[in-house]
Amino acid sequence: EQLVWESSAGGTFTISEDKDGERLTRGTRIVLYLKDEQKEFLDEKKIKDLVKKHSQFIQYPIFLLTVKTTEKEVEEEEDKAEEDSEKPKIEEVTEDEEKKKTKKVTEETKEWDELNKTKPLWLQDPKEVTKEQYAAFYKSLTNDWEEHLAVKHFSVEGQIDFRALLYVPKRAPFDMFEPRKKSNNIKLYV
């Protein structure tokens, strides 16, 4: 069974069975339709930055179809019709004339680039992870401008196996004792 999830960003969405679309053997296809004022999100660099910021540590691969242009030098073909119509001539050929004329042609190729090649930190061996990687992940996770005070990277094996990262921030949050604050301090990434 293949389903379609549709939303127009109005806070509601619909889920229906996909009867007309191309059948996917595995995975998810995401198609976005943008408003005219949101065309900046079509820029390849912008898409890569967004994926890096929000999905860098997801263990499922994210691919982007990119168009790469390369310039190649191709030999120009001389008109054979002119050669055939002319009577044979004998000419001396100098070294300059021996060099064939070339022209530059731009060739476009489409390639799928994997955007999130980084394996999630908690799945890596703690000995292989650097302090800078821990700090970068902490800052992207918490939007904190300072580095963490301490980090604990461990794994637990038993009836349930898991690996975890626990961070201790340098400072307590400014609204820590506010009674109406919703606490969302623990984040789970699978």
Side-chain angles (χ1 to χ4, degrees):
E1 181 179 21
Q2 185 166 307
L3 301 174
V4 175
W5 181 91
E6 291 180 298
S7 174
S8 58
T12 61
F13 61 90
T14 60
I15 298 175
S16 59
E17 187 174 346
D18 186 13
K19 297 177 182 173
D20 303 327
E22 178 185 334
R23 288 286 175 214
L24 300 176
T25 56
R26 184 175 179 194
T28 302
R29 172 176 288 159
I30 299 174
V31 179
L32 299 175
Y33 299 98
L34 299 175
K35 296 179 181 179
D36 289 335
E37 59 268 10
Q38 301 298 324
K39 297 293 183 183
E40 68 181 272
F41 292 104
L42 292 177
D43 183 37
E44 184 178 315
K45 183 170 176 19
K46 181 79 169 179
I47 293 171
K48 287 181 178 181
D49 289 343
L50 284 171
V51 170
K52 184 176 182 180
K53 181 178 180 183
H54 297 289
S55 304
Q56 181 179 6
F57 299 104
I58 292 177
Q59 64 182 349
Y60 301 105
I62 297 174
F63 292 95
L64 177 66
L65 183 62
T66 57
V67 178
K68 299 191 179 192
T69 57
T70 55
E71 287 190 0
K72 290 186 176 182
E73 289 190 8
V74 180
E75 293 180 10
E76 287 185 9
E77 294 181 9
E78 295 181 18
D79 294 334
K80 292 182 180 179
E82 291 178 13
E83 291 178 8
D84 293 339
S85 65
E86 294 178 10
K87 293 181 180 177
K89 295 181 187 177
I90 298 175
E91 295 181 9
E92 283 188 30
V93 178
T94 61
E95 290 179 21
D96 294 336
E97 292 174 357
E98 279 185 359
K99 293 180 184 176
K100 296 184 178 181
K101 295 179 182 178
T102 59
K103 62 179 177 179
K104 289 187 177 182
V105 176
T106 56
E107 189 176 279
E108 291 185 352
T109 56
K110 293 182 179 181
E111 294 180 1
W112 287 100
D113 286 344
E114 187 174 354
L115 301 182
N116 59 340
K117 295 178 185 174
T118 308
K119 187 177 176 185
L121 287 182
W122 57 91
L123 295 179
Q124 295 180 19
D125 184 14
K127 297 173 188 169
E128 297 174 358
V129 182
T130 64
K131 290 180 181 179
E132 291 80 19
Q133 288 175 313
Y134 283 129
F137 180 64
Y138 173 75
K139 287 179 180 180
S140 70
L141 190 66
T142 61
N143 294 324
D144 197 353
W145 60 87
E146 289 185 327
E147 289 190 6
H148 55 280
L149 181 65
V151 64
K152 183 66 179 167
H153 188 166
F154 62 94
S155 63
V156 175
E157 296 178 6
Q159 285 184 335
I160 298 174
D161 297 342
F162 66 91
R163 294 173 178 226
L165 286 174
L166 290 177
Y167 286 99
V168 177
K170 276 191 178 175
R171 290 178 290 102
F174 65 91
D175 55 353
M176 185 168 136
F177 296 110
E178 190 168 319
R180 286 178 240 130
K181 181 184 181 273
K182 179 183 173 189
S183 61
N184 58 351
N185 299 333
I186 296 179
K187 294 183 174 29
L188 176 65
Y189 292 89
V190 182

